[in-house]
Amino acid sequence: FSRRSKRNSIAKARLDVTRTPRNNVSIVLRNKPQPPKPLHNCTKMEALQAQVDAQGSKIRAMKEAIKADVASHSKEDLDKEIKELTALKEKMQALELEALDPEIKARFELLRSVGEECVTEAELRALCKRPGGFVLYDGFEPSGRMHIAQGVFKAMNVNKCTKAGGTFIFWVADWFALMNDKMGGDLDKIKVVGKYLVEVWKATGMDMSRVKFVWSSDEITNRAEPYWMQALDIARRTTIARVKKCCQIMGRLENKLTAAQILYPLMQCTDIFFLKADVCQLGVDQRKVNMLAREYCESAGIKNKPVILSHHMLYGLKKGQEKMSKSDPDSAIFMEDTPEDVARKMHNAYCPRQAEAAEPAAAAAAA
């Protein structure tokens, strides 16, 4: 009996025993408290999603009404409803971020830090949750010397992307450099420059364990049918006017384009789908052609659009230069510059002590 009493006292110290109306026993461990269940925002999310859907339908109806009768709704009313939709989407994004697993949240924030702009953050978060990882891509023309924006800055961004769980594919665009008349149109020289750029990235400290370099001339030749079928489908769904808007990606003016340069944006758009890229991780100067890829998805009924994660462009060293330029040696610091070259360029770089007033033309355009 004493032994039984001892066992009962130990059991009583360890357990809470409650009886239900049907005399079923429910036992809860005292000394081993269960971890709290994670809080879910499903109900809030569902309610917000319903509001977003309703607001979106309202805006679409207003736009249709305006098409039929311009006087049916004022621009101010439409802008007000769009602003409300934007606010609802921001609330949804905040809830999604709050509900993320800490590890996934850390990966998302690291990845998001790469881009000045992201289209869209919700899609990027979904990629971070994917168990098998995701694929990012950037393409580069082998077209001469490498400056620090392309060398050091790109290596830093790639390392963040791969650390966040991505595989990074570099599309070595040798045929594109040929179309853009780089290196005098000599494909052999273009290939040599491409190999040089790869070696510079290795020396810069880019983590190559999850990086692939794919040469466009080899891949397009070896898999010509899927590549050109994709290119033709994009071409038949895209107007010439829309293609011309993308031509700044080559640094060309619309009225001085060759036929080959008209093909360039269509082929660059094709690359995204050919490489099965989940994320376009290029500079903001490539935004228009990346948006073309998303527009193509809408017209072709493709559900999963490529996410656009556009990094900031490093300014040139001279006044008015939005980015460093290979064609102007004093506008950029190159990877093989001597310490004396770097010191001279930094000393001569445009850096006013005070913000300057906008030029009259620029001020008028802003107004």
Side-chain angles (χ1 to χ4, degrees), residues 250-270:
M250 299 174 288
R252 305 291 179 181
L253 298 174
E254 288 186 22
N255 60 349
K256 294 185 178 180
L257 296 171
T258 65
Q261 288 161 350
I262 289 289
L263 283 174
Y264 193 113
L266 296 171
M267 290 177 68
Q268 183 172 332
C269 186
T270 301

Side-chain angles (χ1 to χ4, degrees), residues 205-256:
M206 184 182 289
D207 181 3
M208 296 293 173
S209 60
R210 301 189 68 167
V211 174
K212 299 178 182 177
F213 290 93
V214 181
W215 292 75
S216 66
S217 56
D218 294 338
E219 289 298 308
I220 296 173
T221 300
N222 294 335
R223 297 197 291 155
E225 184 176 351
Y227 186 90
W228 291 114
M229 287 298 291
Q230 180 70 74
L232 288 172
D233 194 48
I234 292 170
R236 74 185 184 88
R237 296 174 187 272
T238 309
T239 65
I240 289 289
R242 181 65 180 87
V243 171
K244 283 185 174 181
K245 289 180 181 178
C246 298
C247 290
Q248 70 174 34
I249 61 177
M250 299 174 288
R252 305 291 179 181
L253 298 174
E254 288 186 22
N255 60 349
K256 294 185 178 180

Side-chain angles (χ1 to χ4, degrees), residues 17-27:
V17 181
T18 59
R19 293 182 179 273
T20 65
R22 294 184 181 180
N23 294 325
N24 292 327
V25 178
S26 174
I27 300 175

